[in-house]
């Protein structure tokens, strides 16, 4: 199963550079068969620029998540805690491997009219 995930360009570039090995979320997809994330780089790029495979998903309190992931979080501590404000748990998707597309793809290539706020299910990777 594949998910399309919206990620800000500043974090997308850190992902491709290997500085960011965790993608943080306040909520996570229910389908446990998700193995691949398509990376939608938000404004101003607004394209699907690559993908990554999931090594594991860590569910913890924000402070515990920070302790586990801070070296490769790709985010400043202050921004991290601001993102998780008022949340007693959060999720860190540990990235196994990343592929940057040579030519970014349009949402329309996947029959998608608009980008998801956070994420959306696509289908099995073979169907893409």
């Amino acid at each position: 199963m594949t998910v399309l995930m919206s990620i800000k360009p500043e974090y997308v570039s850190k992902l491709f550079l290997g500085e960011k090995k965790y993608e943080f979320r306040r909520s996570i997809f229910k389908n446990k068969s998700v193995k691949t994330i398509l990376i939608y780089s938000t404004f101003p790029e607004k394209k699907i620029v690559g993908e990554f495979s999931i090594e594991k998903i860590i569910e913890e309190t924000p402070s515990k998540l920070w302790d586990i992931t801070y070296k490769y979080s790709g985010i400043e501590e202050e921004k991290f805690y601001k993102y998780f404000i008022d949340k007693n748990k959060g999720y860190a998707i540990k990235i196994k491997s990343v592929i940057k597309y040579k030519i970014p793809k349009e949402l329309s290539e996947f029959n998608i009219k608009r980008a998801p706020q956070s994420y959306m299910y696509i289908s099995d990777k073979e169907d893409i």
Side-chain angles (χ1 to χ4, degrees), residues 34-95:
V34 174
K35 302 285 184 240
T36 305
I37 306 286
L38 294 181
I39 304 165
Y40 176 79
S41 184
T42 60
F43 182 84
E45 191 161 21
K46 297 165 66 170
K47 295 201 192 272
I48 299 170
V49 295
E51 62 185 70
F52 65 83
S53 58
I54 299 171
E55 183 171 321
K56 67 179 176 179
I57 298 173
I58 304 165
E59 177 182 348
E60 278 295 348
T61 63
S63 61
K64 184 87 171 183
L65 270 185
W66 181 254
D67 289 344
I68 295 167
T69 65
Y70 75 93
K71 285 182 185 172
Y72 290 103
S73 65
I75 188 172
E76 297 161 7
E77 186 174 8
E78 186 179 326
K79 285 184 178 180
F80 174 89
Y81 281 108
K82 188 175 180 182
Y83 178 72
F84 284 111
I85 199 156
D86 296 331
K87 294 289 181 184
N88 52 17
K89 73 176 174 180
Y91 303 89
I93 303 168
K94 186 169 186 190
I95 297 162

Side-chain angles (χ1 to χ4, degrees), residues 9 11 16 21 23-24 29 47-48 94 102 114 117:
Y11 301 122
F16 289 140
K21 296 185 179 180
E23 176 58 28
F24 301 104
F29 27 87
K47 295 201 192 272
I48 299 170
K94 186 169 186 190
K102 289 180 179 159
R114 89 180 100 147
Q117 188 72 21

Side-chain angles (χ1 to χ4, degrees), residues 1-3 29-36 54 57 121 123-125:
M1 178 62 69
T2 302
V3 162
F29 27 87
K30 305 285 185 250
N31 189 325
K32 301 298 180 205
S33 70
V34 174
K35 302 285 184 240
T36 305
I54 299 171
I57 298 173
Y121 292 102
S123 69
D124 290 327
K125 185 143 169 57

